[in-house]
């Protein structure tokens, strides 16, 4: 029976396709990669971005459709990332459900012109076939698991990273069951190089208690002690993930089966917030979790000589949810230092969808600008403000709160999808193959994002979009020539209504009893996308192919619905509002060939050209304001950006007998935005910020086998798995050094005024990553134990992921100087208020040479004349920490304290990807 879970065309070159399918998945899983994104980054035509997302053939981020066992799994509210990628070792988390690298039977990436069935994105389609539990021996259970850790290398070299995987499957008569799970914990956020050069200071008990005179009388205030964070570990920044995939099948006769697939994933992390580290109630976290339940029937409806009619039907319920905000007191304390870095239980948030429901009542309140619009009383927000009264930090500087809050952003997101898909698959003889089908998706979106104490940039909506698609693919085989044609029709409607101008409660004639009066309903959008492909087998060693295809990608509903219920009077004029967006469209043509040099070596090459239209962008438009009765500037998401690109993909694959495989790939992509202007320059074509012109990848997978005799047999059952990526840096726009407002502007951010050179006219340094995994297996009876050492960025190469837009480097002396000056002026003003400032800006904290200078702190005041005795003690200890402990806080010592805090946010670790990280572990297979 034809494998119906994931039908992929000849034009779609799956990863390491030269390898036999069953060997392919196990070999891929052995590579030093924890994420699907990092595996796909080894495919020619794929550019891995600084945050771990992918750009396919210059399409940019957020241009990939995801399919699991043939069923679409792409969220409607994508958030700028791609489902199933699971983020990256570089740090991205992805969007929607994640999948472990131990969970698939086959991994495919359709980068070129493919079947219309999977033409649902501008860039590419990820096709994943989950592990088939029905391939084993009847009655036998197969189990396997791995554990890897870097915790044994100590706090200076390890992040307390722990990764556990589990696989199990078995077949019992007509039933087959399989399970794949992955659990990761990491005690500290992973930053870049020199992370240990910028320690964070932890509170370590109470140094002393002093009295402070205030408006409420005399109070006792504890002064904290501090210790630097250990090694490379950042405190209160644990991050943890899990993925779980279970699949069960029941075989109905010889030619059909029922299948149930369960998928779950979770990503949780503590949000490191140094300025509020000593005010626990202000600390927050984020939890993103997804679930999918898919029932399928796959089988043959008719089977006779020369004709087979098959079908597959799928019904899937999917949900993606996210909560980001402050934690409860117990939730914060319980997740500060989790065992092994594992955050398995859901974090306990102070506000969530249960305590603050995102429902129709909330939307009505947003439209009327009255009632519950935040968990807080928006008419009396001063009661929640942060209290920053003392210099309660290791540096003796301002800016660290000690009480108040929590304040800040609360974001609640929920997307439920009901997906139905069915297809008929007909084969007539050996020449004709026809597949027709349809998809239907119903969405339910609930979204809230707002500051707890302000409606500036607030956004909330509850909407139910719908999407339909129909497709047909026909393949004709004429011996040496194969022809394919397909057509896909997509249609969607957001189901939303919106004001013509972003005024609701302040619009003339507003009726609180009918706040949506005058709203305009969004329209339906439809698009036809044909595809044509041809393949010619010119000789036994040469096959040529070509094709042209169109694609229509659903817009991100998060952009289409942005600000739909937000009144302009409650927010800022730079908030971006959505519009009734249509499809983003792509035209792609390609020509290629596959040369089989011998039975071990194959070369694949393709040249391609693409044109993208209607890509969503932010545009400043003039619209009529019904309140002001004049035109007004409004920022909108619109279909307005065009992209073009051309390039070359090359791959050479070679096998080394029965023991190894090698891959070499090179990609060239010239991709640009067309007709772009920043208002100061004439329209021009500019490089895409998320493309890399040159990308080189290589992989080597080798296992010596049980019969190896090297070194007296010592190297038998030894494996070497290595991957290399080298790529051009991504583009950014430089800001002029002369503009002081751009001192802190980083690459990828907008300059405040004029620019230096052309838009995106500069590039980050080259990306270079070499990963290596070594294994040694020990068969013991029916069990195999494999020990491994896994090194990421083996050569500790420096990979710069962002720079200052003014300097083009990871340092900006002007910003650092301004920071030093601000801190020095604050210290000098307070010292002068207390009569302790010397002419050379030294702060005299000796108090006449008393044995314990803290005894001289009574009566110390802040620069505004308020009693601030704790400040004096904090300054004494800052001088001891960053000076020579003579209690004369010189300007040089003040600068060292200022620079130490500055480096926490602006040190090299914040501008580079991770350095070398090594883990060890073992795998057990039964």
């Amino acid at each position: 029976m034809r494998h119906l879970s994931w039908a992929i065309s000849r034009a779609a070159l799956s990863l390491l396709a030269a390898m036999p399918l069953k060997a392919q998945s196990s070999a891929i899983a052995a590579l030093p990669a924890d994420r699907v994104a990092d595996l796909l980054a080894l495919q020619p035509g794929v550019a891995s971005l600084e945050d771990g997302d992918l750009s396919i053939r210059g399409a940019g981020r957020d241009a990939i459709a995801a399919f699991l066992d043939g069923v679409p799994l792409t969220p409607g509210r994508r958030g700028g990332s791609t489902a199933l990628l699971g983020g990256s070792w570089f740090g991205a988390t992805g969007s929607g459900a994640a999948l472990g690298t131990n969970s698939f039977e086959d991994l495919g990436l359709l980068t070129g012109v493919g079947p219309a069935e999977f033409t649902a994105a501008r860039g590419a389609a990820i096709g994943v076939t989950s592990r088939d539990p029905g391939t084993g021996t009847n009655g036998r259970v197969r189990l396997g698991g791995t554990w890897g850790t870097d915790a044994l290398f100590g706090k200076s070299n390890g992040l307390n990273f722990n990764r556990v995987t589990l696989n199990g499957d078995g077949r019992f008569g007509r039933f087959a069951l399989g399970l794949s799970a992955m659990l990761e914990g990491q005690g500290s956020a992973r930053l870049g190089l020199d992370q240990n050069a910028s320690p964070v200071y932890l509170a370590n008990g109470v140094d002393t208690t002093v009295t402070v005179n205030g408006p409420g009388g005399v109070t006792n205030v504890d002064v904290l002690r501090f210790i630097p964070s250990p090694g490379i570990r950042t405190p209160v920044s644990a991050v943890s993930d899990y993925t779980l995939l279970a699949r069960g099948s029941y075989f109905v006769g010889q030619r059909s089966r029922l299948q149930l697939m369960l998928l779950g994933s979770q990503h949780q992390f503590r949000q490191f917030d140094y300025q509020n580290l000593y005010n626990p109630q202000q600390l927050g976290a984020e939890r993103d979790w997804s679930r999918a339940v898919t029932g399928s029937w796959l089988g043959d409806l008719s089977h006779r000589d020369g004709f087979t009619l098959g079908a597959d039907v799928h019904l899937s319920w999917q949900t993606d949810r996210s909560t980001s905000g402050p934690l409860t007191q117990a939730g914060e304390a319980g997740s500060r230092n989790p065992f092994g870095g594992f955050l398995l239980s859901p974090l306990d948030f102070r506000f969530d969808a249960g305590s603050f429901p995102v429902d129709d009542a909330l939307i009505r309140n947003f439209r009327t600008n009255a009632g519950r619009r935040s968990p807080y009383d928006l008419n009396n927000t001063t009661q929640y403000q942060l209290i920053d009264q003392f210099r309660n930090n290791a540096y003796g500087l301002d800016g660290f709160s000690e009480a108040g809050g929590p304040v800040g952003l609360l974001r609640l997101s929920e997307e439920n999808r009901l997906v139905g898909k069915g297809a008929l698959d007909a084969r007539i003889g050996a020449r004709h193959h026809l597949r027709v089908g349809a998809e239907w998706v119903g969405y339910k979106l609930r979204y809230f994002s707002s500051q707890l104490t302000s409606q500036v940039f607030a956004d909330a909506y509850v909407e139910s979009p719908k999407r339909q698609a129909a497709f047909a693919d026909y393949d004709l085989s004429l011996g040496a020539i194969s022809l394919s044609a397909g057509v896909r029709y997509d249609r969607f409607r957001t189901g939303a209504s919106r004001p013509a101008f972003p005024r609701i409660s302040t619009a003339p004639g507003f009726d609180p009893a009918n706040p949506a009066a005058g709203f305009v309903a969004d329209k339906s959008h439809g698009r036809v996308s044909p595809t044509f492909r041809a393949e010619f087998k010119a000789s036994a060693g040469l096959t040529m192919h070509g094709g042209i295809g169109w694609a229509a990608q659903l817009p991100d509903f998060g952009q289409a619905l942005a600000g739909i219920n937000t009144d302009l009077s409650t927010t800022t004029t730079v908030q971006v509002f959505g519009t009734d967006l249509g499809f983003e469209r792509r035209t792609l043509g390609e020509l290629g060939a596959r040369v089989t040099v011998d039975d071990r070596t194959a070369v694949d090459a393709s040249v391609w050209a693409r044109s993208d239209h209607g890509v969503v962008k932010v545009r400043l438009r003039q619209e009529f304001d019904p309140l002001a009765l004049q035109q007004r500037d409004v920022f909108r998401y619109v279909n307005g950006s065009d992209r073009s690109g051309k390039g070359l993909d090359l791959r050479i694959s070679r096998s080394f007998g029965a023991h190894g495989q090698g891959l070499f790939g090179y990609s060239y992509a010239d991709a640009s935005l067309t007709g772009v202007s920043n208002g100061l320059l004439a329209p021009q074509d500019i490089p895409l910020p998320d493309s890399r012109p040159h990308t080189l990848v290589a992989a080597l997978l080798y296992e010596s086998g049980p019969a190896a005799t090297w070194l007296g047999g010592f190297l038998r059952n030894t494996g070497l798995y290595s991957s290399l990526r080298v790529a051009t840096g991504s583009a950014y726009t430089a800001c002029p050094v002369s503009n002081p407002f751009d001192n802190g502007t980083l690459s990828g951010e907008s300059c405040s005024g004029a620019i230096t050179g052309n838009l995106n006219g500069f590039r980050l340094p080259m990306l270079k990553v070499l990963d290596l995994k070594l294994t040694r297996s020990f068969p013991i009876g029916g069990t195999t134990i494999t020990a491994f050492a896994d090194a990421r960025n083996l050569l500790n190469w420096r990979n710069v992921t962002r720079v200052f837009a003014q300097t083009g480097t990871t340092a900006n002396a002007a910003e650092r100087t301004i920071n030093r000056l601000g801190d020095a002026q604050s210290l000098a003003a307070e010292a002068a208020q207390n009569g302790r400032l010397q002419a050379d800006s030294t702060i005299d904290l000796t108090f006449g040479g008393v044995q314990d200078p803290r005894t001289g702190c009574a009566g110390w005041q802040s620069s505004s004349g308020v009693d601030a005795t704790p400040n004096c003690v904090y300054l004494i200890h800052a001088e001891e920490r960053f000076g020579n402990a003579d209690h004369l806080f010189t300007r040089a010592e003040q600068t060292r304290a200022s620079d130490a805090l500055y480096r926490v946010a602006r040190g090299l670790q914040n501008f580079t990807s991770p350095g070398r990280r090594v883990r060890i572990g073992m795998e057990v297979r039964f």
Side-chain angles (χ1 to χ4, degrees):
M1 187 181 89
R2 180 172 178 264
H3 184 52
L4 298 172
S5 296
W6 169 248
I8 195 165
S9 74
R10 300 181 186 90
L13 302 176
S14 60
L15 188 64
L16 299 178
M19 203 174 291
L21 180 62
K22 296 304 178 185
Q24 178 179 321
S25 60
S26 60
I28 290 175
L31 283 169
D34 299 329
R35 302 289 185 270
V36 170
D38 293 329
L39 292 173
L40 294 177
L42 298 174
Q43 175 82 332
V46 178
S48 178
L49 308 179
E50 276 78 17
D51 61 2
D53 208 351
L54 304 179
S55 175
I56 311 298
R57 288 187 168 181
R61 66 177 72 247
D62 189 25
I64 303 175
F67 295 84
L68 177 60
D69 290 340
V71 179
L73 203 69
T74 306
R77 190 183 187 281
R78 297 188 295 273
S81 297
T82 304
L84 291 186
L85 295 184
S88 168
W89 185 68
F90 280 86
T93 61
S95 177
L99 192 71
T101 55
N102 63 322
S103 300
F104 59 81
E105 189 77 17
D106 189 21
L107 174 63
L109 183 66
L110 182 60
T111 60
V113 179
E117 179 177 359
F118 304 110
T119 308
R122 293 185 300 105
I126 299 173
V128 179
T129 303
S130 59
R131 293 173 63 95
D132 187 354
T135 59
T137 304
N138 189 30
R140 181 189 174 192
V141 176
R142 297 178 298 182
L143 295 174
T146 67
W147 166 72
T149 182
D150 72 358
L152 302 180
F153 293 102
K155 297 178 180 179
S156 295
N157 299 287
L159 294 168
N160 193 21
F161 173 87
N162 294 276
R163 187 173 195 262
V164 180
T165 69
L166 174 67
N167 287 96
D169 61 65
R171 181 170 180 173
F172 312 94
R174 293 180 179 271
F175 291 94
L177 301 173
L179 174 70
S180 299
M182 182 278 294
L183 174 62
E184 280 186 357
Q186 188 171 281
S188 167
R190 180 187 286 120
L191 300 178
L193 297 173
D194 291 348
Q195 187 172 348
N196 57 354
S198 306
V200 168
Y201 284 86
L202 295 162
N204 185 36
V206 176
D207 175 77
T208 188
T209 300
V210 298
T211 59
V212 175
N213 293 311
V218 178
T219 58
N220 293 324
V221 176
D222 291 335
V223 178
L224 301 175
R225 276 199 312 264
F226 301 102
I227 57 171
S229 57
I232 62 174
R233 299 185 185 180
T234 301
V236 199
S237 64
V239 57
S240 184
D241 301 81
Y242 75 69
T243 66
L244 176 68
L245 189 146
R247 174 173 155 177
S249 299
Y250 177 73
F251 294 86
V252 184
Q254 298 296 316
R255 298 187 177 279
S256 64
R257 71 173 183 263
L258 296 171
Q259 180 173 296
L260 180 66
M261 188 274 295
L262 307 176
L263 174 66
S265 66
Q266 176 179 272
H267 176 75
Q268 295 194 122
F269 64 94
R270 291 292 306 267
Q271 296 165 333
F272 177 68
D273 182 359
Y274 200 10
Q275 271 62 46
N276 295 292
L277 187 60
Y278 317 123
N279 180 18
Q281 68 180 6
Q282 176 62 22
L283 300 179
E286 181 171 326
R287 179 186 180 221
D288 306 295
W289 70 107
S290 300
R291 305 287 185 267
V293 180
T294 303
S296 304
W297 176 85
L298 308 95
D300 287 348
L301 299 175
S302 177
H303 183 79
R304 59 179 183 268
D305 291 343
F307 177 77
T308 301
L309 178 63
D312 55 289
V313 180
H314 312 270
L315 183 64
S316 181
W317 174 83
Q318 305 167 9
T319 185
D320 301 304
R321 304 186 184 189
S322 178
T323 300
S324 178
L327 295 165
T328 64
Q329 182 176 1
E332 193 284 321
S335 59
R336 280 203 151 208
N337 188 29
F339 172 78
F342 294 120
L343 295 171
L344 185 59
S345 299
L347 291 169
D348 188 11
F349 289 91
R350 187 180 294 259
F351 312 110
D352 57 22
S355 62
F356 185 76
V358 181
D359 53 18
D360 292 335
L362 176 66
I363 301 308
R364 184 180 183 87
N365 292 341
F366 255 68
R367 291 172 174 174
T368 60
N369 197 28
R372 177 182 66 97
R373 291 153 289 150
S374 166
Y376 285 171
D377 179 2
L378 292 177
N379 296 316
N380 182 21
T381 58
T382 56
Q383 61 183 309
Y384 312 112
Q385 67 184 9
L386 293 175
I387 299 172
D388 180 13
Q389 186 176 357
F390 307 119
R391 298 177 179 270
N392 59 318
N393 56 82
Y395 315 94
L397 301 173
D398 297 315
F400 287 70
S401 75
E402 58 261 13
V407 296
L409 182 69
L410 172 65
R411 188 179 71 250
L412 306 171
S413 177
E414 177 182 338
E415 176 178 331
N416 296 318
R417 298 183 298 278
L418 184 62
V419 181
K421 180 178 179 179
L424 293 173
D425 197 277
R427 290 185 177 273
I428 306 172
R431 291 190 172 186
H432 305 278
H433 174 211
L434 175 66
R435 182 170 170 83
V436 296
E439 299 173 4
W440 180 91
V441 185
Y443 304 83
K444 184 67 173 183
L445 306 177
R446 300 179 184 273
Y447 184 75
F448 171 85
S449 177
S450 178
Q451 298 292 319
L452 288 166
T453 57
S454 169
Q455 288 184 268
V456 174
F457 292 114
D459 193 8
Y461 50 82
V462 177
E463 299 293 348
S464 300
K466 301 289 188 297
R467 179 178 74 83
Q468 305 87 31
F471 57 86
D473 285 295
Y474 173 67
D475 298 328
L476 174 62
S477 178
L478 300 173
I481 299 176
S482 298
L483 302 175
S484 301
V487 63
R488 180 184 176 97
Y489 175 71
D490 289 279
R491 187 176 184 84
F492 82 92
R493 185 172 184 172
T494 66
S497 296
R498 65 184 76 225
F501 185 85
R503 286 200 183 278
I504 306 175
S505 60
T506 59
F510 172 72
D511 181 6
N514 186 15
F519 279 24
V520 179
D522 286 355
K523 301 177 181 179
S524 294
H525 300 267
R527 196 78 186 176
V528 176
S529 305
T531 63
F532 305 94
R533 305 184 308 281
E535 185 177 285
F536 174 55
K537 189 173 181 61
S539 65
L542 174 62
T543 302
M544 296 181 290
H545 67 85
I548 183 170
W550 288 259
Q553 176 173 300
L554 197 72
D556 188 334
F557 287 145
Q559 295 175 332
L561 301 173
I564 196 171
N565 297 304
T566 301
D567 192 290
L568 190 62
S569 66
T570 65
T571 185
T572 173
T573 56
V574 297
Q575 178 162 344
V576 183
F577 294 86
T579 59
D580 184 9
L581 297 172
F583 284 102
E584 299 180 330
R585 310 178 306 280
R586 176 214 74 188
T587 304
L588 175 67
E590 65 173 349
L591 292 172
R594 179 180 179 87
V595 179
T596 304
V597 180
D598 52 38
D599 59 352
R600 293 187 176 186
T601 308
V603 179
D604 293 279
S606 297
V607 292
W608 55 267
R610 66 179 302 128
S611 178
D612 296 64
H613 304 284
V615 180
V616 175
K617 63 175 291 186
V618 176
R619 175 175 291 172
L620 182 63
R621 303 197 312 191
Q622 283 221 327
E623 300 180 5
F624 182 75
D625 184 344
L627 181 64
L629 297 178
Q630 63 182 12
Q631 296 294 112
R632 184 165 184 171
D633 289 338
V634 179
F635 285 96
R636 294 280 197 184
Y637 287 112
V638 298
N639 294 102
S641 180
D642 290 343
R643 300 171 181 239
S644 64
K646 56 184 180 294
L648 164 70
D649 297 338
L650 172 68
R651 182 180 63 178
I652 303 173
S653 55
R654 179 173 175 80
S655 64
F656 303 99
H659 298 291
Q661 288 284 336
L663 165 72
F664 171 84
Y666 168 76
S667 301
Y668 167 73
D670 179 12
S672 62
L673 291 165
T674 59
V676 177
S677 173
N678 65 350
L680 302 175
L681 301 174
Q684 57 182 305
D685 293 349
I686 66 169
L688 283 167
D690 47 14
S691 70
R692 298 184 184 276
H694 303 279
T695 302
L696 183 149
V697 297
L700 177 63
L701 305 94
Y702 190 87
E703 186 166 345
S704 62
T709 58
W710 306 330
L711 299 181
F714 178 77
L715 295 182
R716 68 168 57 99
N717 294 322
T718 298
L720 183 152
Y721 306 90
S722 179
S723 63
L724 170 71
R725 278 185 288 159
V726 180
T728 310
S730 56
Y732 70 93
T733 299
C735 305
V737 177
S738 59
N739 188 350
F741 297 104
D742 282 323
N743 281 332
T745 301
L746 302 177
S747 54
E749 300 174 349
S750 299
C751 303
S752 61
I755 65 171
T756 298
N758 296 324
L759 291 167
N760 291 338
F762 293 78
R763 289 196 173 273
L764 295 175
M766 180 179 293
L767 168 75
K768 307 179 296 297
V769 180
L770 174 64
D771 300 330
L772 175 66
K773 182 177 180 181
L774 299 175
T775 67
R776 179 68 161 88
S777 298
F778 304 92
I780 304 175
T783 301
T784 300
I785 298 176
T786 303
F788 66 82
D790 186 330
R792 309 297 169 89
N793 194 4
L794 176 66
L795 301 181
N796 205 36
W797 279 327
R798 170 172 165 157
N799 290 303
V800 176
T801 57
R802 61 177 182 171
V803 294
F804 283 97
Q806 283 185 317
T807 66
T809 69
T810 59
N812 188 319
E815 184 196 50
R816 185 186 60 194
T817 298
I818 292 173
N819 186 76
R820 288 174 172 176
L821 181 60
D823 289 339
Q825 290 174 340
S826 174
L827 289 168
E830 187 164 317
Q833 174 71 25
N834 293 277
R836 313 305 297 179
L837 183 65
Q838 297 182 354
D840 61 354
S841 298
T842 295
I843 302 174
D844 184 357
L845 299 169
T846 61
F847 299 105
V850 296
Q851 184 175 2
D852 184 356
R854 293 177 299 179
T855 60
C857 286
W860 186 275
Q861 295 181 341
S862 68
S863 58
S864 60
V866 177
D867 195 3
T869 303
N871 285 6
C872 176
V873 183
Y874 284 122
L875 288 170
I876 289 171
H877 290 314
E879 191 280 329
E880 293 171 346
R881 187 171 293 111
F882 299 103
N884 60 5
D886 65 357
H887 301 138
L888 294 173
F889 204 5
T890 67
R891 183 63 178 269
E893 294 169 342
Q894 297 169 32
T895 297
R896 282 198 289 272
S898 177
D899 284 352
L901 176 57
Y902 177 81
R903 284 195 301 270
V904 173
R906 295 304 206 195
L908 187 62
Q909 73 278 7
N910 297 292
F911 292 85
T912 55
S913 64
R916 180 172 48 244
R917 294 286 183 268
V918 179
R919 71 186 76 157
I920 58 175
M922 68 172 56
E923 175 185 6
V924 180
R925 297 193 304 271
F926 299 95

